[in-house]
Amino acid sequence: QVRLVESGGGSVQPGGSLRLSCSGSEYTNAVMMGWFRQRPGKMREGVAAIVTGDSDTYYSDSAKGRFTITQDSAANTVYLQMNSLKPEDTAMYYCASARRKSGMFALQAGMYGSWGQGTQVTVSS
């Protein structure tokens, strides 16, 4: 059973935009949903998170002002709108779900128990 599936990745030029989507049955059990990324040779890092109940959001410093996380609970879907993309945003992007809430640890991978397979984002001229 596939619990979370990401889509929307692709190749874009610097300054461009992409919208990632994450859908799946695990959303219905989630208290928080997060977007993470793993750049080549780097550790997985939290990008953005949203509390499903009240839509509180959390962003990494690199994402603030450029990325927006939203949700459509009727569609069991979380989105990550990424604008003003930079080459350093190139990474595999993953969504994940957590069954508890923590503002302090919202962007920590250890909070999240279910993960999608990832979608590749490449920013290059």
Side-chain angles (χ1 to χ4, degrees), residues 19-112:
R19 188 177 80 156
L20 306 183
S21 300
C22 171
S23 300
S25 60
E26 189 59 28
Y27 176 92
T28 60
N29 299 317
V31 176
M32 292 184 66
M33 294 291 294
W35 282 99
F36 292 77
R37 69 184 183 187
Q38 189 160 15
R39 294 178 280 183
K42 302 289 187 181
M43 299 284 289
R44 190 170 296 189
E45 60 177 337
V47 175
I50 189 166
V51 178
T52 58
D54 59 15
S55 294
D56 276 353
T57 56
Y58 304 87
Y59 295 95
S60 66
D61 288 343
S62 63
K64 285 177 185 175
R66 299 189 301 128
F67 296 2
T68 304
I69 186 171
T70 58
Q71 62 180 341
D72 180 346
S73 57
N76 291 353
T77 301
V78 174
Y79 303 98
L80 184 68
Q81 177 67 43
M82 304 188 295
N83 299 327
S84 302
L85 283 162
K86 305 174 182 180
E88 51 263 43
D89 294 317
T90 295
M92 185 70 80
Y93 283 73
Y94 300 89
C95 74
S97 67
R99 297 193 181 189
R100 55 196 175 104
K101 173 185 174 179
S102 171
M104 181 178 296
F105 300 110
L107 299 181
Q108 299 293 321
M111 276 284 297
Y112 296 81

Side-chain angles (χ1 to χ4, degrees), residues 110-122:
M111 276 284 297
Y112 296 81
S114 292
W115 294 80
Q117 294 299 306
T119 186
Q120 177 67 38
V121 171
T122 301

